[in-house]
Amino acid sequence: MALRELTKEYLTKAVYQTPLEIVRLMAEALPLQEGTVLDLCGGSEDFLLRAAAMKQKKSEEELLIFENWTGTEDTSDGRENLLVCGPADKAADHLKKKKGKKSEEKTFDAVLMNPPFGYTKGEKKGRVRLESQFLTQAADCVAENGRCAAVVPGGLLNRTAVEDVELRKRFVEKFHVEQVILLPISAFLPYAEVRTGIFIFAKEKGDGMTRFYDLRKVEPENRKLLPEIYQRSEPVCVLNRTTLSEHQYILSTEEYLGEEKIDARALISRERILRRQLSRLSEKLPSVYENELGQIGMFPCQKGIQTRKAVIKEILECEYGLLECALLKAAGKEKWPEKEGNTFLKIWSGQRLDEEEKDGPYRVYGAAGVQGSARTATMKEEQAILIGRVGSYCGAVYKAWTKGFVSDNVMLAGAVEEEAEEDFLLLVLRAAHFNAEKRGSVQPYITKDIILKRKYYLPELARQQKFLLENQEIFEKIREQEKEVEELSVESDRLRS
């Protein structure tokens, strides 16, 4: 797709200003001297002006000078914003030389962009990712030995669709992916709350080493300090082309790093917050008989059921969070061993529910819990640990309490004999937070490999049993609440039908 079509596609969407701290971070991370900058987004002169000012350490007062350095051209490819990082006379010469040249002859020493995310129509096949097309255009616009820094969605870094793997392969093998900077989910507030990263590549072979920086734990109140935090940070890992190729060129650190070390102070803080939330939620549980008008009737109603179920789920999250804190404290204090999942875990896939199998005596378990009924049961046991495989609830871990049908949106998990107690295994899997490792963006998912290749704290059986005994009271509460959530889901389905 030509730049004009891409620009047109972009201009039909909401246009947001790139936060100043992100511009500063990109300008800091891009190792350039003098050169030119192209804004492929059809877009923000402010983005370019500020970036150029920062690269040359100009003051805010001097920023006005840069306005005379920008120019727009009406070319066959549509509107472009150009800016030269260099003395004013060189800027004027550059704009003069660029006038009238064909778009394919235009290359730039530096490209900065924050492209739109989402889908657009492909020329030969269905929908394609818009940000992928912008990145491809950037590769064509960067001069030899030039560089590009682009904001990309988290999914682009780890999606395993063929086209995404091929795109990353092109940049890793043909060029030099110098840095990947993972940003906090709050980086683009108030416009959006989304997983993003800064992808920096050079149009050269380089040393083939990619440096990963992880800024995702920077709190929202400190996001304006992102450039300074980046300057003080060391790469969390440095990987070569061979390692990347063995992992489908995935550019997200979860693929390569084990579980993080335990932060005792963070655990104390989290525990305090969870106890406050639990106290607030437990004060008054809503009644299943209360309707949308706040009236109490004689029979359960849909509004009351959904409200009560939602609050109980929040309570469960707090209680599991407290158990996770206890587990991590004990693991750190006693130096529990870490074991790879495939040494003690068994994973089975669910099945697709055909139309003729619907509406029966057995509950259907999906990623979000009970979702309808089936004529047959696929669970071998009365109880099972389930993990959401695909959709917005992928990575969710919960327990099914009756024999039922497990859909293809879910995986079943169990322990290899004599390796783990069931309740302990449930807690360990919940504490893994698989949703943080999901792939894809429009239809997120996790795979068996993600679960089986992870490392988990897993002591011997006697210590697991001791932990369960020490926390018996809270486990019993959780058991009752999970059973109630399941029953409420069944009642809700009955009322709908």
Side-chain angles (χ1 to χ4, degrees):
M1 183 182 287
L3 183 58
R4 177 167 54 183
E5 282 73 29
L6 279 176
T7 303
K8 182 178 179 182
E9 176 79 20
Y10 170 64
L11 291 176
T12 63
K13 301 178 183 295
V15 180
Y16 301 130
Q17 184 181 30
T18 305
L20 179 58
E21 57 269 19
I22 302 300
V23 181
R24 290 174 56 212
L25 177 54
M26 295 173 75
E28 182 65 37
L30 205 62
L32 293 171
Q33 300 302 317
E34 291 185 3
T36 62
V37 177
L38 165 65
D39 180 13
L40 271 176
C41 292
S44 171
E45 291 181 0
D46 181 68
F47 185 157
L48 296 175
L49 292 172
R50 290 184 179 277
M54 292 165 192
K55 287 304 299 179
Q56 297 196 24
K57 305 191 186 318
K58 298 289 183 180
S59 65
E60 288 291 327
E61 290 74 19
E62 292 175 293
L63 191 61
L64 292 174
I65 299 173
F66 286 85
E67 289 193 47
N68 298 321
W69 293 15
T70 61
T72 58
E73 295 178 318
D74 293 322
T75 69
S76 59
D77 280 316
R79 180 177 180 272
E80 295 178 12
N81 289 327
L82 307 178
L83 180 135
V84 181
C85 293
D89 56 342
K90 288 188 178 182
D93 289 342
H94 171 79
L95 292 175
K96 189 175 180 180
K97 288 176 183 177
K98 288 292 181 185
K99 278 285 187 182
K101 283 195 174 185
K102 294 180 180 179
S103 62
E104 58 262 29
E105 296 175 356
K106 294 177 182 176
T107 57
F108 301 85
D109 299 309
V111 172
L112 290 176
M113 64 176 185
N114 180 8
F117 304 161
Y119 282 101
T120 185
K121 292 181 181 178
E123 294 178 359
K124 296 182 180 178
K125 58 181 180 179
R127 300 187 306 166
V128 294
R129 297 295 305 189
L130 192 55
E131 65 270 10
S132 299
Q133 291 208 308
F134 270 97
L135 205 56
T136 300
Q137 280 284 336
D140 296 335
C141 293
V142 176
E144 291 301 318
N145 301 315
R147 285 170 169 78
C148 169
V151 175
V152 298
L156 183 67
L157 301 175
N158 59 26
R159 287 192 295 258
T160 54
V162 174
E163 58 270 21
D164 294 307
V165 175
E166 287 300 315
L167 179 70
R168 295 194 298 267
K169 179 180 179 180
R170 179 191 179 194
F171 283 99
V172 170
E173 298 290 353
K174 189 174 180 181
F175 307 134
H176 177 204
V177 179
E178 294 183 327
Q179 297 181 52
V180 175
I181 306 170
L182 302 174
L183 299 174
I185 197 170
S186 61
F188 288 88
L189 289 176
Y191 307 121
E193 190 172 30
V194 62
R195 294 183 302 121
T196 55
I198 296 173
F199 177 82
I200 300 175
F201 76 91
K203 209 163 186 179
E204 59 183 39
K205 292 298 286 186
D207 62 4
M209 306 299 289
T210 300
R211 290 156 178 81
F212 292 82
Y213 295 83
D214 193 347
L215 307 184
R216 288 175 296 182
K217 287 192 174 181
V218 174
E219 298 293 339
E221 58 269 23
N222 293 326
R223 61 182 179 165
K224 292 189 181 301
L225 300 175
L226 280 171
E228 289 77 16
I229 295 171
Y230 164 77
Q231 288 173 342
R232 298 194 302 266
S233 299
E234 294 292 330
V236 293
C237 63
V238 181
L239 304 173
N240 58 30
R241 289 189 177 100
T242 301
T243 301
L244 294 173
S245 69
E246 292 170 351
H247 293 262
Q248 297 182 292
Y249 300 94
I250 287 173
L251 298 172
S252 187
T253 56
E254 287 83 4
E255 184 74 14
Y256 309 96
L257 299 180
E259 193 168 344
E260 296 176 350
K261 299 300 179 184
I262 297 170
D263 186 337
R265 287 184 300 177
L267 283 179
I268 293 171
S269 176
R270 185 185 177 202
E271 199 172 38
R272 189 181 301 120
I273 292 169
L274 287 170
R275 290 193 186 283
R276 283 203 299 265
Q277 289 177 340
L278 185 59
S279 175
R280 175 180 57 81
L281 291 167
S282 301
E283 282 179 359
K284 184 180 179 182
L285 272 171
S287 168
V288 294
Y289 301 98
E290 186 174 337
N291 63 23
E292 56 274 3
L293 300 176
Q295 300 167 334
I296 302 295
M298 295 180 62
F299 305 101
C301 61
Q302 197 67 264
K303 171 68 176 177
I305 288 171
Q306 295 301 329
T307 303
R308 183 176 177 85
K309 187 167 78 169
V311 174
I312 293 176
K313 281 187 171 183
E314 286 188 72
I315 290 173
L316 281 168
E317 287 298 320
C318 290
E319 290 174 337
Y320 270 120
L322 290 170
L323 282 175
E324 181 185 335
C325 288
L327 181 144
L328 293 175
K329 279 182 184 176
K333 185 178 180 180
E334 300 173 18
K335 308 297 182 186
W336 287 359
E338 292 180 89
K339 294 185 180 180
E340 199 166 88
N342 54 30
T343 64
F344 67 91
L345 263 176
K346 298 181 290 185
I347 303 290
W348 303 270
S349 296
Q351 298 179 20
R352 180 178 178 180
L353 180 64
D354 296 325
E355 284 296 323
E356 59 270 20
E357 285 292 323
K358 291 183 178 179
D359 301 324
Y362 298 101
R363 298 171 184 180
V364 174
Y365 292 98
V370 175
Q371 298 172 320
S373 64
R375 297 182 180 183
T376 58
T378 56
M379 281 168 48
K380 296 180 180 178
E381 305 293 336
E382 291 293 328
Q383 302 171 13
I385 296 173
L386 304 179
I387 305 173
R389 184 186 66 82
V390 66
S392 56
Y393 286 91
C394 76
V397 180
Y398 68 97
K399 197 167 182 178
W401 293 97
T402 63
K403 188 180 291 187
F405 185 99
V406 180
S407 81
D408 57 351
N409 287 341
V410 177
M411 294 178 280
L412 292 89
V416 175
E417 192 174 353
E418 299 301 318
E419 287 290 337
E421 293 286 342
E422 186 176 65
D423 282 342
F424 193 87
L425 178 61
L426 175 68
L427 177 59
V428 164
L429 292 175
R430 285 188 63 101
H433 301 291
F434 296 124
N435 61 330
E437 299 184 41
K438 61 189 175 186
R439 309 279 168 77
S441 53
V442 175
Q443 183 74 327
Y445 64 93
I446 63 170
T447 64
K448 288 183 182 179
D449 279 349
I450 288 175
I451 298 169
L452 294 174
K453 289 182 179 179
R454 277 285 302 267
K455 286 188 175 181
Y456 307 83
Y457 289 112
L458 195 74
E460 68 280 2
L461 274 176
R463 184 61 185 94
Q464 294 177 37
Q465 293 161 355
K466 182 183 177 186
F467 181 89
L468 295 175
L469 188 61
E470 291 169 345
N471 296 278
Q472 183 177 1
E473 184 179 347
I474 192 167
F475 271 109
E476 288 177 354
K477 286 182 181 178
I478 285 173
R479 192 173 294 114
E480 293 304 314
Q481 288 160 352
E482 284 185 330
K483 286 181 178 179
E484 183 176 356
V485 167
E486 188 170 313
E487 293 300 328
L488 288 172
S489 296
V490 173
E491 180 68 10
S492 177
D493 284 343
R494 186 189 67 78
L495 290 177
R496 274 198 293 267
S497 61

